[in-house]
């Protein structure tokens, strides 16, 4: 009984931290699994993963460890562990949240470059975010939790989609480079082409996860446009799809050398035939380089999405949160997304960019994209509220107050 209470208390602390991080503008995932490179063996998880996107579309990763235990026991060990985890997941920031924090703990945290937050300090931040619902999208115990559980059971029963691919799209794509994410989407599109039938909510969850992966990949690609331009971005992604590393051209150079060698051999053979009195042969060889670098037909749609995000970074940086609220809250029948706190994420301009993202998914996998058609029925007619203090207060634990929001 005591173990269950402890687990619930820890999960609630993670929810509270994730809730205020989302309110501060971060993309948030709870219990994000950490796996070894090249393997799918999970070594640990991150209690609260945050991804922040700045006005120039630069992304930074933050990790938070939440401990609901009292006293100093394990405080310094957990700080040292968190410092190592930050290196492993290449996080920019790390933070430890505890019931209480000692002076010694703060000293060690300062030396390690780790933030420390006591629950009493967390409560102050919560007061500043009192207009946020307690549970919404992936935060807390809303419909998303059951939908994911049911979807995973359906994926296992169907068995046509590799678990590693599903895990990459849902988890790893959050921190992966665009070419890796697009490679996973390409693999999934080839599988879905065989006519995989996905019942509700499996189809909706997979479609939402894939849309989300495409949006983050497009944001990271838009960031590269400042440095390499559209032609350079296309080359990076297409080289990455061909070799797995957009900056290592050794494999492509070998393929190009093989192309030239094969062409020279055929030309020499034809020349010898002609020297023996034969008629010249008209011939053409398929390019090994083009075959290796074969790109999906829907890729130009993705480039267009990245370009639009580059043109409107103010919208692009907030779009992942918009996707969260629509796909993991509204489309699952929850009402929290209607809260005034989220008005800044649901304007007509956000809808326009989100529709372009959905069109990209539809071009890659029309059958999967159909699970998100309900997105087009949702009205994005909000106006950002400049001062959260003016919004209706959300009572603690009572999400029914979301009904005070703007009309749909």
């Amino acid at each position: 009984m005591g173990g269950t209470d402890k687990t619930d208390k820890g999960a609630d602390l993670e929810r509270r931290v994730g809730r205020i991080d989302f309110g501060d503008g971060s993309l948030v995932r709870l219990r994000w699994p950490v796996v070894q490179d090249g393997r799918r063996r999970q070594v640990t998880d991150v209690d609260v993963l945050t991804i922040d996107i700045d006005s120039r579309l630069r992304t930074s990763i933050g990790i938070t460890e939440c401990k609901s235990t009292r006293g100093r026991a394990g405080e310094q060990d957990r700080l040292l562990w968190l410092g190592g985890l930050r290196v492993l997941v290449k996080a920019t920031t790390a933070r430890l949240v505890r019931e209480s924090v000692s002076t010694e703990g703060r000293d060690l945290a300062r030396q390690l470059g780790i933030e420390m937050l006591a629950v009493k300090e967390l409560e102050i931040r919560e007061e500043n975010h009192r207009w946020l619902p307690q549970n919404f999208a992936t935060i807390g115990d809303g419909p998303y939790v059951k939908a994911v559980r049911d979807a995973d059971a359906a994926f296992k029963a169907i068995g046509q989609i590799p678990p590693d691919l599903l895990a990459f799209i849902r988890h790893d794509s959050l921190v992966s480079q665009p070419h890796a994410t697009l490679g996973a989407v390409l693999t999934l599109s080839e599988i879905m082409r065989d006519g995989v039938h996905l019942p509700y909510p499996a189809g909706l969850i997979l479609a939402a996860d894939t849309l989300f992966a495409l949006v983050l990949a497009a944001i990271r690609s838009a960031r590269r446009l400042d440095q390499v331009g559209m032609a350079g971005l296309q080359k990076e992604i297409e080289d990455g799809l061909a070799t797995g590393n957009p900056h290592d051209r050794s494999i492509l150079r070998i393929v190009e050398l093989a192309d030239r060698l094969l062409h020279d051999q055929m030309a020499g053979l034809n020349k010898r035939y002609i020297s023996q009195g034969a008629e010249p042969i008209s011939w053409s060889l398929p390019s090994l380089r083009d075959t290796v670098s074969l790109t999906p037909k829907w890729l130009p749609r993705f480039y267009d999405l990245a370009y639009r995000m580059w043109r409107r970074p103010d919208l692009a940086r907030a779009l992942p949160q918009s996707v969260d609220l629509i796909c993991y809250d509204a489309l699952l029948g929850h009402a929290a997304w209607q809260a005034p706190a989220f008005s800044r994420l649901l304007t007509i301009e956000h809808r326009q960019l989100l529709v372009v993202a959905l069109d990209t998914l539809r071009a890659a996998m029309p059958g999967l994209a159909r699970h998100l058609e309900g997105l087009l029925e949702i009205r994005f007619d909000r106006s950002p509220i400049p001062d959260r203090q003016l919004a209706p207060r959300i009572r603690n634990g009572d999400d029914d107050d979301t009904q005070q929001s703007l009309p749909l």
Side-chain angles (χ1 to χ4, degrees):
M1 186 72 172
T4 302
D5 291 342
K6 181 179 178 181
T7 300
D8 291 344
K9 190 174 182 181
D12 188 59
L13 183 58
E14 294 165 9
R15 178 196 63 80
R16 292 169 63 188
V17 172
R19 173 177 172 266
I20 61 174
D21 283 343
F22 192 99
D24 283 336
S26 300
L27 168 66
V28 177
R29 288 293 180 267
L30 306 182
R31 301 287 177 91
W32 183 73
V34 177
V35 298
Q36 287 182 302
D37 285 342
R39 303 177 63 183
R40 286 306 316 175
R41 187 172 70 85
Q42 183 173 335
V43 293
T44 186
D45 61 32
V46 172
D47 288 347
V48 182
L49 176 80
T50 58
I51 297 178
D52 290 286
I53 304 169
D54 70 12
S55 59
R56 295 179 64 186
L57 300 184
R58 295 172 294 197
T59 59
S60 58
I61 300 169
I63 59 174
T64 299
E65 176 75 0
C66 299
K67 287 298 174 185
S68 58
T69 53
R70 295 182 178 275
R72 300 182 183 181
E75 183 182 52
Q76 296 192 359
D77 286 344
R78 189 50 43 174
L79 283 168
L80 294 169
W81 176 88
L82 190 56
L85 183 61
R86 178 180 57 190
V87 175
L88 179 62
V89 302
K90 300 179 177 63
T92 307
T93 61
R95 176 178 56 184
L96 178 62
V97 179
R98 289 173 52 88
E99 284 282 345
S100 59
V101 176
S102 70
T103 301
E104 294 81 5
R106 290 197 188 277
D107 288 341
L108 179 58
R110 189 162 46 250
Q111 294 178 58
L112 295 173
I114 294 175
E115 302 172 20
M116 287 199 77
L117 196 68
V119 167
K120 64 179 181 180
E121 294 154 349
L122 176 64
E123 291 170 350
I124 295 173
R125 291 189 63 194
E126 286 179 309
E127 176 63 19
N128 200 37
H129 286 284
R130 63 183 183 273
W131 71 335
L132 283 172
Q134 298 299 315
N135 300 278
F136 57 88
T138 66
I139 307 297
D141 192 22
Y144 173 78
V145 176
K146 183 178 185 303
V148 167
R149 184 167 58 244
D150 292 347
D152 287 344
F155 294 141
K156 186 175 181 180
I158 294 169
Q160 293 176 268
I161 306 176
D164 289 358
L165 179 60
L166 293 169
F168 183 94
I169 290 175
R170 183 182 300 167
H171 302 301
D172 297 5
S173 65
L174 298 176
V175 297
S176 295
Q177 294 302 308
H179 73 276
T181 296
L182 293 175
V185 173
L186 177 58
T187 301
L188 180 61
S189 68
E190 293 171 349
I191 294 172
M192 297 300 295
R193 197 176 297 127
D194 294 334
V196 179
H197 173 69
L198 295 174
Y200 179 88
L204 190 151
I205 291 297
L206 182 56
D209 289 346
T210 308
L211 178 68
F212 197 92
L214 283 171
V215 165
L216 272 182
I219 290 172
R220 291 190 169 101
S221 297
R223 167 62 184 160
R224 293 292 293 160
L225 286 175
D226 276 337
Q227 304 166 56
V228 299
M230 181 57 75
L233 173 65
Q234 292 176 4
K235 187 175 186 304
E236 283 187 354
I237 288 178
E238 289 164 23
D239 285 356
L241 286 172
T243 68
N245 185 343
H247 307 295
D248 181 2
R249 299 201 73 254
S250 57
I251 295 177
L252 292 178
R253 281 197 293 269
I254 292 173
V255 173
E256 289 164 357
L257 288 172
D259 261 336
R260 288 200 291 269
L261 177 61
L262 186 57
H263 185 276
D264 289 345
Q265 287 182 332
M266 290 299 296
L269 181 61
N270 195 31
K271 186 175 181 180
R272 286 194 292 273
Y273 273 113
I274 294 173
S275 67
Q276 298 297 319
E279 291 293 326
I281 301 173
S282 297
W283 52 272
S284 63
L285 287 174
S287 168
L288 296 176
R289 174 67 168 80
D290 291 345
T291 301
V292 170
S293 303
L294 187 62
T295 55
K297 294 181 179 180
W298 50 265
L299 206 51
R301 295 288 190 100
F302 175 81
Y303 295 142
D304 177 61
L305 175 61
Y307 177 74
R308 290 169 185 264
M309 289 185 170
W310 177 74
R311 290 287 303 272
R312 290 301 305 270
D314 54 324
L315 298 176
R317 64 187 297 201
L319 197 63
Q321 287 191 312
S322 302
V323 174
D324 258 16
L325 292 171
I326 297 304
C327 292
Y328 301 131
D329 197 287
L331 295 185
L332 291 175
H334 205 208
W337 67 280
Q338 302 173 42
F342 303 131
S343 293
R344 65 181 179 84
L345 302 170
L346 299 169
T347 68
I348 187 63
E349 293 173 304
H350 290 95
R351 183 187 190 277
Q352 291 167 348
L353 198 53
L354 188 53
V355 168
V356 176
L358 181 60
D359 286 343
T360 305
L361 177 62
R362 187 183 291 113
M365 287 171 278
L368 188 62
R370 278 196 291 270
H371 292 278
L372 297 179
E373 291 298 325
L375 182 155
L376 301 175
E377 304 300 321
I378 294 175
R379 291 176 60 185
F380 287 70
D381 55 0
R382 310 283 190 90
S383 297
I385 298 177
D387 187 351
R388 57 184 150 200
Q389 304 297 336
L390 301 178
R393 179 163 180 161
I394 303 296
R395 293 192 300 272
N396 187 35
D398 185 359
D399 287 348
D400 289 338
D401 281 356
T402 58
Q403 298 304 320
Q404 302 174 35
S405 64
L406 301 178
L408 300 185

